[in-house]
């Protein structure tokens, strides 16, 4: 076995070579200060805001394989730069994003003949910071990384919302725990310090494993890279830049959601003409199968049959919903399908006439949303990638949902490993060549790549609505959806697929959607995704046309997003301005407790009257006993008003504001 080398990135020279100030970089507004420090033990960093310590001295560095000596580093130089510009998103929660930071680059070199050069790049924004390790061009052309030493030491008494790393799909709950009680958890990891909210995550995960976090003691969060089956974390070429390690710092939970730090730390759009990456709503032959009505596999109850799909297309056309997802259309679903390594992405079942379906859809202005369930047999998928995307493109299908239901990829590697990261990237890049957008289920945790590849529209990686159909735990508790915006949601769009209008579940009576109908509507504003599913069946929507109107109206692309009021795990109020009109939308949701909220409408344009179309819980609504009791009403309001909202237990309110 290789001996491990602990690169402590010690930079003893810095104290003599640089004045104290040289080891600091501040945010543009001067409030956040990031400092690096060299001690005999290695390289550390610390962060303060307004003089208050946010990150106590925390270790940086790597464990490498294949080297038996411990390296020491000299500081070769310290470079500084500043940046301030505003860029326009192809789609997103905000149209314009200001990218404003001060950068410090510390050039480090190992003290040995075979000296390794590493640059520490730090960017400090007004709402947090990010840093990464860059291996510049040098004599070696590759490195084997076993582990990072990266730590984040948070203030004493902090607690964090962590999700266990034991679920390969990130389909678990986030729980608030003292730092020492976090075993291995996923990021985004949201820390409550008592006075601040911190979100620890990463940006631009490229050719590298995901970073999980271990709570080492009551204050120390330590990085843990998800390894290959060989035990190696990453085989990297040199030159190479690791993903950014990021911390957003907020005084209120909403600031974490409003931050664009992760997107700013990704590369600009790599697609020459990304105009095909269009946000959209979709319905699908999907929920009925999860409820046990109909099958993915071919047989008497096969859901994806031409006649049935046409019913969905008719409904979509009638209501202006652009997409219809169809799962179970292709060969491979027989038996215990996650064991099937032979899904065929160009062979439909005999009762699914893809030409007839796509011609029919096109004639009605509707698109088929394709589906590639790979069961995580990625080699089988990669062997068919080009033919599969060409096949769909030939039928006018340019939105594809992918899936990876299997604990390991190819029976061997973790979804979150470098192996997984490489595979997902290959799919995104291939799809982009065919002008095709991706909705990726069972992904590696998103890190903002949609800035570079806007065809990566949305991803799962969340305990979504499907669990409410069949999970033996009974379904996601009402609290789940008021935790998610401040945890998983910080990583980017979520294909949660809400929209339930009928809460009956005869086949799996132990499980249910644990919200009210009004809260299902509010989630379209609260949980962001540029591809939003209306997951219930056409029949259930047709039965409640007044409530369905909100799903028809609600945008999937936003000019601006604010989260003015929230307590993580209790309630949330989100407001967003439509990108294509002057309308504003509001979503408010609560946990299992009923709540009265007063919402200031000061986000609206001043001195203008708006019609508020209000979709609310009826006075006797309750997620458990009376979920479908809702009211639809109108009111004239202005920015000077405060609107009282009643949210039922497990309930919510959705509002559209239209300028008069
Ligand atoms: C899991 C996905 O999350 C779900 O949406 C899909 O229906 C099934 N896999 C089958 O592919
Ligand atoms: Ca899933």
């Amino acid at each position: 076995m290789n001996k491990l080398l602990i690169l402590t990135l010690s930079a003893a020279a810095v104290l003599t070579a640089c004045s104290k100030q040289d080891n600091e970089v501040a945010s543009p507004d001067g409030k956040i200060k990031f400092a690096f420090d060299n001690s005999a033990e290695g390289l550390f960093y610390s962060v303060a805001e307004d003089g208050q310590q946010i990150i106590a001295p925390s270790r940086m560095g790597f464990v490498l394989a294949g080297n038996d000596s411990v390296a020491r580093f000299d500081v070769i130089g310290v470079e500084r730069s500043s940046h301030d510009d505003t860029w326009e998103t192809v789609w997103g929660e905000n149209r314009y994003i200001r990218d404003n930071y001060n950068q410090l680059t510390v050039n480090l070199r190992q003290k040995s003949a075979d000296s390794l050069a590493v640059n520490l790049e730090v960017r400090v924004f007004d709402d947090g910071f990010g840093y990464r390790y860059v291996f510049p061009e040098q004599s070696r052309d590759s490195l084997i990384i076993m582990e990072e030493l990266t730590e984040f030491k948070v203030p004493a008494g902090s607690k964090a919302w962590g999700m266990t790393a034991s679920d390969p799909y990130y389909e678990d709950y986030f729980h608030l725990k003292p730092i020492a009680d976090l075993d291995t958890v996923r990021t985004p990891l949201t820390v409550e310090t008592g006075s601040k909210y911190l979100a620890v995550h990463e940006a631009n995960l490229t050719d590298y494993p995901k970073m999980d976090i271990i709570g080492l003691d009551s204050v120390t969060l330590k990085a843990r890279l998800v390894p290959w089956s060989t035990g190696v974390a990453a085989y990297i070429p040199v030159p190479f830049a690791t993903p950014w390690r990021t911390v957003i710092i907020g005084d209120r939970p909403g600031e974490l959601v409003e931050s664009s730090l992760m997107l700013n730390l990704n590369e600009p759009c790599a697609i020459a003409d990304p105009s095909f990456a269009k946000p959209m709503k979709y319905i699908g032959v999907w929920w009925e199968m999860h409820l046990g009505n109909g099958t993915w596999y071919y047989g008497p109850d096969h859901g994806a049959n031409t006649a049935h799909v046409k019913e969905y297309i008719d409904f979509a056309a009638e209501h202006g919903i652009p997409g219809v997802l169809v799962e179970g259309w292709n060969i491979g679903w027989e038996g215990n399908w996650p064991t099937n390594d032979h899904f065929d992405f160009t062979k439909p079942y005999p009762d699914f006439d893809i030409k007839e379906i796509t011609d029919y859809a096109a004639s009605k202005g509707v698109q088929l949303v394709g589906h590639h369930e790979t069961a995580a047999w990625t080699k089988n998928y990669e062997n068919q990638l080009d033919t599969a995307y060409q096949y769909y493109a030939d039928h006018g299908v340019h939105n594809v949902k992918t899936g990876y239901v299997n604990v390991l990829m190819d029976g061997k590697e973790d979804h979150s490993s470098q192996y997984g990261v490489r595979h997902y990237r290959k799919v995104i890049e291939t799809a982009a060549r065919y002008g095709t957008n991706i909705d990726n289920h069972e992904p590696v945790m998103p890190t903002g790549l949609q800035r570079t590849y806007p065809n990566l529209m949305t991803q799962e990686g969340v305990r979504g609505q499907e669990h409410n159909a069949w999970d033996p735990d009974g379904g996601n508790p009402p609290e789940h959806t008021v935790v998610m915006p401040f945890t998983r949601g910080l990583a980017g769009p979520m294909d949660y697929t809400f929209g339930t209008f009928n809460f009956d579940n005869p086949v799996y009576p132990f499980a249910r959607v644990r919200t009210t109908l009004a809260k299902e509507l509010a989630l379209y504003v609260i949980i962001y995704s540029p591809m939003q599913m209306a997951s219930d069946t056409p029949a259930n929507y047709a039965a409640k046309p007044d409530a369905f109107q909100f799903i028809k109206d609600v945008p999937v692309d936003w000019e601006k997003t604010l989260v003015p009021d929230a307590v993580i795990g209790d309630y949330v109020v989100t407001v967003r301005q439509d990108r294509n009109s002057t309308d504003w939308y509001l979503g408010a949701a609560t946990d299992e407790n009923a709540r009265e909220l007063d919402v200031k409408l000061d986000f609206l344009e001043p001195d203008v009257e708006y019609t508020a179309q209000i979709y609310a819980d009826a006075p006797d609504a309750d997620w458990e006993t009376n979920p479908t009791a809702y009211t639809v009403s109108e009111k004239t309001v202005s920015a000077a008003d405060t609107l009282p909202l009643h949210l039922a237990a497990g309930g919510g309110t959705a509002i559209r504001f239209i300028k008069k």
Side-chain angles (χ1 to χ4, degrees):
M1 192 189 139
N2 285 330
K3 284 189 189 164
L4 302 184
L5 161 64
I6 297 180
L7 292 180
T8 53
L9 299 187
S10 169
V14 75
L15 292 180
T16 46
C18 315
S19 69
K20 178 162 184 344
Q21 208 185 340
D22 274 353
N23 69 346
E24 262 186 23
V25 55
S27 55
D29 67 5
K31 291 184 177 169
I32 301 177
K33 289 203 166 82
F34 180 110
F36 74 91
D37 185 31
N38 293 282
S39 72
E41 289 146 45
L43 186 67
F44 290 77
Y45 74 102
S46 57
V47 179
E49 186 177 44
D50 290 326
Q52 182 190 335
Q53 193 164 66
I54 303 286
I55 303 285
S58 300
R59 186 178 281 281
M60 301 169 120
F62 297 89
V63 179
L64 295 188
N67 194 326
D68 60 0
S69 67
V70 175
R72 285 276 169 201
F73 286 80
D74 288 324
V75 171
I76 303 302
V78 173
E79 296 161 34
R80 289 170 181 283
S81 60
S82 293
H83 183 92
D84 188 5
D85 73 359
T86 295
W87 55 281
E88 187 173 352
T89 55
V90 174
W91 47 259
E93 294 178 271
N94 298 287
R95 182 195 291 265
Y96 298 108
I97 292 181
R98 185 172 177 195
D99 185 13
N100 184 22
Y101 60 82
N102 290 325
Q103 175 161 331
L104 180 75
T105 305
V106 187
N107 304 312
L108 303 160
R109 189 172 282 273
Q110 187 183 9
K111 284 188 182 190
S112 78
D114 184 26
S115 57
L116 178 73
V118 185
N119 298 336
L120 172 66
E121 269 181 32
V122 184
R123 288 184 188 172
V124 186
F125 302 78
D126 287 347
D127 60 357
F129 64 90
Y131 60 85
R132 65 178 176 179
Y133 307 101
V134 178
F135 300 96
E137 186 145 6
Q138 51 197 296
S139 56
R140 72 192 75 205
D141 59 11
S142 65
L143 282 174
I144 297 177
I145 293 184
M146 301 300 289
E147 193 51 283
E148 269 186 41
L149 299 176
T150 307
E151 290 178 353
F152 309 84
K153 277 192 195 287
V154 296
S158 293
K159 291 182 170 179
W161 291 94
M163 185 213 289
T164 175
S166 60
D167 187 322
Y169 315 129
Y170 319 112
E171 293 183 17
D172 211 323
Y173 301 116
F174 285 83
H175 297 289
L176 185 64
K177 290 185 177 172
I179 302 302
D181 294 351
L182 302 170
D183 293 328
T184 308
V185 292
R186 303 300 196 180
T187 68
L189 182 70
T190 299
V191 180
E192 298 193 6
T193 72
S195 57
K196 300 277 179 194
Y197 296 88
L198 314 177
V200 178
H201 189 40
E202 58 186 318
N204 190 359
L205 175 53
T206 299
D207 199 12
Y208 202 72
K210 165 154 183 48
M211 174 183 73
D212 287 336
I213 294 285
I214 300 174
L216 274 191
D217 55 40
S218 63
V219 296
T220 310
L221 301 169
K222 184 187 174 305
R224 190 241 168 204
L225 301 176
V226 178
W228 291 67
S229 55
T230 59
V232 164
Y235 301 90
I236 59 168
V238 174
F240 187 82
T242 68
W244 295 90
R245 277 67 191 91
T246 59
V247 178
I248 306 170
I249 304 169
D251 292 322
R252 50 184 181 84
E255 283 180 52
L256 303 181
V257 182
E258 292 162 10
S259 171
S260 296
L261 189 141
M262 179 180 70
L263 289 174
N264 276 329
L265 289 173
N266 274 272
E267 298 300 319
C269 185
I271 299 174
D273 177 7
S275 56
F276 68 88
K278 275 204 185 63
M280 70 186 285
K281 278 173 255 182
Y282 68 103
I283 57 172
V285 181
W286 181 80
W287 184 234
E288 55 189 69
M289 273 127 53
H290 279 274
L291 289 178
N293 305 318
T295 63
W296 279 269
Y297 58 86
Y298 182 55
D301 299 322
H302 185 217
N305 68 77
T306 304
H308 191 46
V309 173
K310 281 183 167 180
E311 289 164 13
Y312 272 78
I313 292 169
D314 289 342
F315 182 83
E318 188 185 337
H319 295 282
I321 307 280
V324 174
L325 166 73
V326 183
E327 295 195 356
W329 66 278
N330 61 325
I331 305 275
W333 291 90
E334 288 67 39
N336 180 21
W337 58 263
T339 62
N340 296 350
D341 59 0
H342 55 261
F343 273 93
D344 192 316
F345 304 103
T346 54
K347 291 217 171 50
Y349 282 128
D351 60 346
F352 183 87
D353 188 330
I354 190 164
K355 173 134 178 37
E356 187 178 334
I357 286 169
T358 50
D359 284 351
Y360 186 71
S363 76
K364 299 211 148 198
V366 172
Q367 308 165 44
L368 183 70
V369 175
H371 187 229
H372 289 162
E373 175 56 67
T374 69
W377 296 100
T378 67
K379 288 193 172 126
N380 176 53
Y381 191 35
E382 290 190 12
N383 286 339
Q384 299 180 57
L385 265 188
D386 275 291
T387 47
Y389 281 90
Q390 184 65 58
Y391 177 82
Y392 264 152
D394 289 346
H395 290 95
V397 178
H398 288 283
N399 294 280
V400 176
K401 172 176 168 179
T402 50
Y404 295 85
V405 178
N406 212 326
V407 172
L408 294 172
M409 288 184 154
D410 298 314
K412 213 172 166 196
E413 307 295 346
D414 201 302
H415 292 222
S416 300
S417 66
Q418 186 181 30
Y419 183 85
V421 167
R422 284 178 176 169
H423 170 74
Y424 292 120
R425 182 64 61 91
K426 191 167 184 175
V427 174
I428 298 162
E429 289 178 353
T430 304
R433 286 205 306 277
Y434 292 88
T436 298
N437 302 311
I438 295 294
D439 165 7
N440 183 27
H441 279 227
E442 297 84 33
V444 63
M445 185 60 79
T447 59
L449 285 175
Q450 69 270 25
R451 177 176 179 188
T452 315
Y453 300 98
N455 68 315
L456 175 58
M457 299 293 279
T458 191
Q459 308 204 63
E460 196 192 31
V462 63
R463 192 181 186 85
Q465 196 83 322
E466 62 185 14
H467 287 268
N468 300 329
W470 40 253
D471 200 297
D473 82 351
N476 304 333
E479 179 185 81
H480 183 54
T481 38
V482 293
V483 173
M484 268 190 314
F486 307 98
T487 50
R488 161 62 180 86
L490 304 178
M494 279 183 279
D495 193 37
Y496 187 91
T497 69
F498 28 78
T500 298
F501 274 27
N502 181 336
F503 295 77
D504 300 339
N505 194 353
V507 180
Y508 309 116
F510 49 84
R512 263 208 40 183
V513 175
R514 299 180 176 198
T515 64
T516 64
L517 190 151
K519 180 169 168 179
E520 288 291 295
L521 299 181
L523 292 173
Y524 284 91
V525 184
I526 295 166
I527 308 284
Y528 171 65
S529 178
M531 276 181 79
Q532 267 316 3
M533 187 176 202
S535 62
D536 212 330
T537 58
N540 288 337
Y541 288 136
K544 296 185 176 72
D546 57 343
F548 189 57
Q549 188 60 44
F550 186 80
I551 296 183
K552 289 164 71 168
D553 292 338
V554 69
V556 281
D557 199 15
W558 303 100
E559 184 72 19
K560 196 174 175 185
T561 291
L562 299 167
V563 182
D565 194 12
V567 173
I568 303 175
D570 290 352
Y571 71 93
V572 56
V573 179
T574 304
V575 297
R576 303 187 195 260
Q577 189 187 7
D578 181 14
R579 197 178 280 213
N580 299 305
S581 76
T582 53
D583 292 356
W584 279 84
Y585 284 77
L586 178 149
T590 181
D591 59 4
E592 68 283 2
N593 299 307
R595 223 172 276 278
E596 310 300 322
L597 295 176
D598 287 320
V599 181
K600 282 195 188 136
L601 303 184
D602 54 4
F603 53 87
L604 297 173
E605 192 181 314
D607 309 319
V608 180
E609 288 196 323
Y610 287 79
T611 302
Q613 298 176 337
I614 304 171
Y615 300 75
D617 292 318
D620 59 345
D622 181 300
W623 75 266
E624 205 167 3
T625 55
N626 198 12
T628 53
Y630 63 91
T631 60
V632 182
S633 61
E634 283 198 357
K635 206 171 184 172
T636 298
V637 298
S638 75
D641 292 333
T642 295
L643 199 62
L645 305 181
H646 164 73
L647 312 185
T653 306
I655 306 179
R656 177 186 185 186
F657 299 92
I658 308 161
K659 251 191 203 180
K660 281 196 139 184

